[in-house]
Amino acid sequence: MRAIHTRRFLAAGLAAGLFCLTACSSSDEPDAASNAGSDGEAITLTIGLFGDFGFEPLYAEYEAAHPGITIEERIAEFSDHHTNLTQRLATGSGTADIEAVEVGFISQFTATPDRFHNLLDLGADQLEDRWLDWKWQQALARDDSALIGLGTDVGGMAMCYRTDLFNEAGLPTDRDEVSQLWPTWEDYVATGQEFMAAADGKYFFESSGNMFRAMIEQAPVGVYDSDDNLIVATSDHVKHAWDLAVEAIEAGMSNQLTAWTPEWTAAFGQGTFATIICPAWMTAYIEGSAPDAEGLWDVASVPGGAGNMGGAHLVLPAQGENPEAAYDLIEWLTAPEQQLKVFQETGNFPSTPELYDDEELTQFSKEYFNDAPIGQIFTEAAQLVQPQYQGPLQGDVLTIIGQGLGRIEEGAQTPDEAWTQVLSDLESLA
């Protein structure tokens, strides 16, 4: 979910003691007692991420409180990160001590919990109430015997839009009035048609794939049912989302950009499109990619109701040789105090509901987004999310469908040809 420039387990008898070392002290201050490895030697903990999670200032704070521990961050592009992690887990070597997993891929890894340290054995069994219930559930093995990750952020959705482009197209620019334009996705497409009729060389959105994914993430059932059956070919909701995305493509609304590419990033600075699906983490990408556009972007509600797009967990591959030290670090990084700091710096929205009544979160706004009450907007968005079951290859399935829409955008296939190939590619994937 993110580009590089921003964002992007002990025996039961020891678990209680480990919990007390962390939870019995203020989680705002790294516990200095559990320094270095289990036998006191200096160690380096490696952490593999897709994009910048905003952890860098926290590393310095943690290292200062833990003499002997050095943290080494490795950042890769989104697709490369998950492909490499899958391959390294299969071959049994090459993973970092800590790896980030985006929500679209978490079910793929909870299906093989033996490849990860069980966080329930390292003290996480005492911390379940820290996270949104659905965020906690996403990282559990199917039989609930193991927890493979601790949640970082969540991606309750809003819609970011360019006020200057809306003004030029004769559309309202006030965020409440903009929200009223599109209670449904059909209304969003109708607004796009109005925008395109008045726009001069601009597009309504950057990628039909993100529009499609947002509609899917809002549905009670996505691309899998709860028995891990892939239902893309039979789901009325999937077909409706596909057809509406195709309608928008055929109306010329898409900038035909592939998310996370250099061209996609450059388009933010060039101001070539007017709207983008906007989980909280997207705000960091916009601000980082278009620093000269301060005050031109604002944040409205997303069509179609609540849904979650993105967010991540930190997991500990079983290859890691320092699971206790690695667990201490991720338990601290994902504590509410650290999640609040990350949100204020990067926009990644906390997955810890105890912050949702904290005015440091709810009263947070950003001048860049025309002083939009970002804290309030994304708190409400996160609280309204209804959990959706994530199937074992969720991320790959959404990628294949997005590629199909991309072929229509490029003119390489008709909608029927693209849909036929999507279904064929999904059969090969299974």
Side-chain angles (χ1 to χ4, degrees), residues 222-380:
V223 293
Y224 281 93
D225 67 19
S226 58
D227 293 322
D228 284 342
N229 297 307
L230 190 60
I231 60 170
V232 171
T234 58
S235 167
D236 291 340
H237 191 89
V238 171
K239 190 63 168 61
H240 174 259
W242 171 274
D243 288 343
L244 199 55
V246 168
E247 180 180 337
I249 293 170
E250 292 179 332
M253 297 182 200
S254 176
N255 202 167
Q256 304 180 29
L257 298 166
T258 300
W260 324 125
T261 60
E263 294 79 11
W264 181 81
T265 299
F268 287 100
Q270 296 162 352
T272 58
F273 59 87
T275 69
I276 186 168
I277 313 301
C278 205
W281 50 262
M282 184 65 80
T283 62
Y285 280 106
I286 296 171
E287 189 172 357
S289 301
D292 295 333
E294 180 172 343
L296 299 181
W297 284 93
D298 209 317
V299 186
S301 61
V302 70
N308 182 75
M309 181 189 286
H313 292 79
L314 297 178
V315 304
L316 306 186
Q319 301 167 27
E321 296 179 351
N322 297 289
E324 294 85 3
Y327 174 78
D328 285 350
L329 175 57
I330 67 169
E331 197 258 88
W332 185 78
L333 286 173
T334 58
E337 294 81 358
Q338 279 61 254
Q339 292 208 34
L340 179 59
K341 293 175 185 175
V342 169
F343 170 70
Q344 291 171 332
E345 289 298 319
T346 71
N348 294 349
F349 194 78
S351 55
T352 49
E354 77 170 61
L355 291 173
Y356 297 170
D357 294 322
D358 188 330
E359 290 189 353
E360 287 194 69
L361 180 76
T362 60
Q363 300 300 312
F364 187 80
S365 62
K366 270 197 171 182
E367 289 183 10
Y368 183 91
F369 289 94
N370 206 19
D371 289 322
I374 288 175
Q376 176 187 343
I377 290 170
F378 289 112
T379 296
E380 292 174 358

Side-chain angles (χ1 to χ4, degrees), residues 4-301:
I4 288 177
H5 64 281
T6 58
R7 165 158 184 128
R8 123 263 276 286
F9 307 72
L10 286 170
L14 294 177
L18 180 62
F19 168 66
C20 198
L21 284 173
T22 54
C24 295
S25 60
S26 168
S27 56
D28 191 27
E29 299 176 359
D31 168 36
S34 56
N35 60 330
S38 58
D39 56 0
E41 81 281 17
I43 60 173
T44 295
L45 293 175
T46 55
I47 178 165
L49 305 175
F50 51 92
D52 185 350
F53 276 53
F55 289 159
E56 191 70 35
L58 300 178
Y59 297 152
E61 185 178 350
Y62 194 84
E63 289 171 339
H66 292 73
I69 287 184
T70 300
I71 302 168
E72 178 182 301
E73 187 177 80
R74 304 171 180 172
I75 296 181
E77 293 291 348
F78 180 79
S79 296
D80 292 342
H81 171 83
H82 291 95
T83 298
N84 292 339
L85 178 57
T86 300
Q87 293 172 345
R88 289 163 181 167
L89 288 169
T91 59
S93 66
T95 70
D97 295 296
I98 300 165
E99 296 276 4
V101 175
E102 201 261 358
V103 63
F105 292 85
I106 191 67
S107 289
Q108 173 181 338
F109 298 123
T110 56
T112 55
D114 56 314
R115 292 180 174 176
F116 301 89
H117 292 289
N118 185 353
L119 306 190
L120 297 177
D121 295 337
L122 289 173
D125 58 324
Q126 303 296 317
L127 301 176
E128 180 176 352
D129 291 342
R130 175 184 287 183
W131 287 273
L132 289 162
D133 180 64
W134 54 269
K135 187 72 175 179
W136 174 269
Q137 296 289 331
Q138 285 174 343
L140 279 172
R142 292 298 297 268
D143 62 1
D144 293 347
S145 63
L147 182 78
I148 71 164
L150 299 184
T152 57
D153 60 316
V154 292
M157 292 184 287
M159 183 71 77
C160 292
Y161 65 100
R162 288 275 301 232
T163 57
D164 56 334
L165 299 186
F166 268 49
N167 184 57
E168 291 171 10
L171 294 170
T173 58
D174 175 80
R175 68 181 68 94
D176 292 333
E177 294 180 38
V178 172
S179 296
Q180 292 172 9
L181 289 174
W182 49 54
T184 68
W185 285 104
E186 287 79 3
D187 295 324
Y188 175 74
V189 172
T191 303
Q193 290 169 336
E194 187 175 350
F195 175 87
M196 294 305 298
D200 182 16
K202 306 294 184 183
Y203 299 91
F204 192 50
F205 56 76
E206 78 337 334
S207 166
S208 59
N210 277 340
M211 175 184 167
F212 173 86
R213 179 174 176 179
M215 287 187 275
I216 294 302
E217 301 290 6
Q218 292 171 329
V221 179
V223 293
Y224 281 93
D225 67 19
S226 58
D227 293 322
D228 284 342
N229 297 307
L230 190 60
I231 60 170
V232 171
T234 58
S235 167
D236 291 340
H237 191 89
V238 171
K239 190 63 168 61
H240 174 259
W242 171 274
D243 288 343
L244 199 55
V246 168
E247 180 180 337
I249 293 170
E250 292 179 332
M253 297 182 200
S254 176
N255 202 167
Q256 304 180 29
L257 298 166
T258 300
W260 324 125
T261 60
E263 294 79 11
W264 181 81
T265 299
F268 287 100
Q270 296 162 352
T272 58
F273 59 87
T275 69
I276 186 168
I277 313 301
C278 205
W281 50 262
M282 184 65 80
T283 62
Y285 280 106
I286 296 171
E287 189 172 357
S289 301
D292 295 333
E294 180 172 343
L296 299 181
W297 284 93
D298 209 317
V299 186
S301 61

